[in-house]
């Protein structure tokens, strides 16, 4: 790019080129990465706001790249979606996570007070439109012997905005089987609230941006009202509310008082290896 003060633009171009090259490199490396077992999953606890107990975990995928080290999902999920690798990758994540949930159950003896730990798995919009979704999920649950109601699939609000019946059908089938469907990043997609009744969801996951705005003092009163409104609407529709991005005890307390049911965030734990989740849950169960 030729322009006044061109150096800066050239630098920007060079950076953009480097990013494009990396993107290209990562994209071509994705299929072999799956074959070579370079992906792994971290688990972040889901905590009941009422009593502070660990009720389950969200599975978050990472890539241990031989040259670049650990890459977060934001670096490669969009590429996997673009190339279609997200379907086998997502299936792998689902199977691993459900197996992990069964292992916790065996270790944990099924913590009578709160029931078995639940596992939340993210679903990309591409997986939703893939015809194998329901059968793959049924197969995985049967192979591992986990009841459908220990599994929650998280779908972003934006993926379901304006969704037609064809898109909702597989989710309905899964929900009828007892799998929970959560609407992820809720509050960012401007979906019609009345539309919620049409969706086979049982959990709203309130986007981190709401929790973040509570960090500020004074918290934005409009955001507080919005959260209160969402919680009361959700409860009136029989939906549970999970909040993400809880980083302080003050936020947790505020959200608990506002009636949110479950929380997730660095205040409780960062995503980590499965043993960590097990420890947290165990400490919790034994007091
Ligand atoms: P998400 O589903 O909204 O997941 C929550 C993200 O917030 C995670 O980022 C988590 O590490 C981060 N987080 C958790 N607590 C806190 C907190 O207290 N403060 C802050 N600032 N952040 C927090 P992560 O692991 O980088 O994942 C990013 C996104 O990648 C996820 O957003 C999800 O959309 C996607 N993703 C992750 N794993 C999978 C997967 O297996 N399949 C698909 N399709 N998408 C995935
Ligand atoms: Ca999620
Ligand atoms: Ca989310
Ligand atoms: Ca998010």
């Amino acid at each position: 790019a030729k322009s006044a003060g061109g150096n800066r633009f050239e630098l920007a171009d060079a950076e953009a080129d480097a990013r494009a090259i990396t993107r290209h490199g990562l994209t071509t490396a994705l299929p072999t990465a799956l074959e070579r077992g370079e992906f792994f999953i971290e688990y972040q606890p889901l905590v009941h706001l009422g009593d502070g107990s660990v009720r389950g975990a969200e599975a978050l995928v990472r890539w241990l790249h031989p040259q670049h080290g650990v890459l977060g999902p934001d670096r490669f999920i969009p590429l996997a979606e673009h190339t279609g690798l997200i379907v086998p990758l997502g299936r792998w994540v689902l199977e691993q996570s459900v197996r992990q949930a069964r292992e916790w159950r065996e270790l944990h003896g099924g913590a009578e007070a709160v029931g078995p730990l639940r596992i939340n798995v993210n679903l990309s919009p591409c997986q939703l439109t893939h015809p194998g979704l329901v059968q793959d999920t049924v197969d995985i649950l049967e192979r591992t012997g986990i009841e459908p109601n220990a599994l929650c699939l998280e779908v972003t609000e934006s993926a379901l905005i304006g969704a037609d019946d064809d898109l909702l059908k597989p989710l309905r089938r899964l929900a009828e089987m007892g799998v929970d469907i959560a609407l992820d990043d809720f509050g960012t997609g401007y979906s019609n609230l009345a539309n919620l009744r049409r969706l086979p969801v049982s959990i709203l996951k309130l986007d981190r941006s709401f929790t973040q705005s509570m960090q500020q003092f004074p918290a934005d009163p409009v955001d507080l009202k919005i959260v209160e409104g969402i919680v009361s609407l959700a409860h009136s529709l029989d939906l549970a509310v999970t909040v993400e991005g809880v980083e302080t005890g003050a936020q947790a307390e505020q959200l608990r008082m506002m009636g949110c049911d479950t929380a997730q965030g660095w205040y409780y734990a960062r995503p980590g290896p499965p043993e960590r989740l097990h420890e947290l849950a165990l400490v919790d169960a034994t007091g």
Side-chain angles (χ1 to χ4, degrees):
K2 263 187 232 139
S3 57
N7 272 344
R8 197 182 305 158
F9 286 100
E10 277 161 26
L11 192 62
D13 281 354
E15 276 171 13
D17 286 348
R19 268 199 303 274
I21 291 166
T22 318
R23 218 165 26 239
H24 178 74
L26 292 181
T27 305
T28 46
L30 273 169
T32 34
L34 187 58
E35 287 163 21
R36 289 185 188 153
E38 291 172 6
F39 294 103
F40 66 100
I41 301 173
E42 289 193 317
Y43 298 88
Q44 187 176 35
L46 290 153
V47 175
H48 188 256
L49 274 166
D51 63 13
S53 62
V54 174
R55 296 300 176 92
E58 178 175 5
L60 297 159
V61 68
R62 279 93 179 82
W63 180 1
L64 180 54
H65 189 284
Q67 277 94 46
H68 302 292
V70 175
L71 301 178
D74 292 337
R75 291 287 301 281
F76 62 85
I77 291 286
L79 307 178
E81 287 176 335
H82 192 70
T83 58
L85 194 83
I86 191 68
V87 171
L89 176 60
R91 203 189 289 130
W92 179 82
V93 171
L94 182 64
E95 173 132 24
Q96 289 297 297
S97 310
V98 170
R99 284 186 187 285
Q100 188 56 61
R102 192 194 49 193
E103 195 177 312
W104 285 327
R105 170 165 317 188
E106 284 161 5
L107 292 165
H108 209 224
E112 278 71 26
V114 295
L117 293 174
R118 300 164 47 81
I119 185 73
N120 284 36
V121 179
N122 291 288
L123 217 58
S124 140
C126 314
Q127 291 172 272
L128 267 188
T129 51
H130 185 265
L133 175 68
V134 175
Q135 195 56 49
D136 286 347
T137 308
V138 170
D139 288 348
I140 289 171
L141 289 171
E142 279 178 359
R143 272 207 296 279
T144 45
I146 286 282
E147 314 79 72
N149 61 16
L151 173 66
C152 174
L153 295 174
E154 301 193 358
V155 185
T156 59
E157 181 188 19
S158 56
L160 292 189
I161 286 179
D164 60 17
D165 270 348
D166 284 346
L167 195 72
L168 294 179
K169 209 181 274 169
L171 286 183
R172 282 217 181 89
R173 294 252 327 266
L174 291 164
E176 281 161 13
M177 282 164 45
V179 174
D180 270 315
I181 311 293
L183 209 48
D184 205 354
D185 300 347
F186 186 78
T188 58
Y190 307 99
S191 62
N192 180 349
L193 290 179
N195 218 358
L196 278 177
R197 286 168 53 191
R198 211 169 62 83
L199 303 177
V201 299
S202 47
I203 297 164
L204 292 189
K205 277 193 97 168
L206 202 57
D207 190 69
R208 189 160 78 222
S209 54
F210 291 103
T211 322
Q212 262 163 1
S213 83
M214 269 173 215
Q215 187 91 302
Q216 283 130 38
F217 284 99
D220 182 344
V222 177
D223 274 353
L224 294 183
K225 287 271 176 237
I226 292 175
V227 173
E228 271 170 359
I230 290 175
V231 171
S232 81
L233 175 93
H235 286 168
S236 72
L237 294 171
D238 249 343
L239 306 174
V241 178
T242 299
V243 285
E244 36 179 43
V246 176
E247 294 181 358
T248 68
Q251 287 172 333
E253 180 53 17
Q254 169 93 270
L255 290 158
R256 186 189 66 78
M257 288 192 309
M258 292 169 103
C260 297
D261 304 288
T262 310
Q264 181 181 355
W266 296 346
Y267 172 61
Y268 302 101
R270 301 222 174 196
E275 304 78 47
R276 177 89 185 110
L277 195 277
H278 170 61
E279 283 162 21
L280 288 167
L282 208 64
V283 165
D284 193 81
T286 55

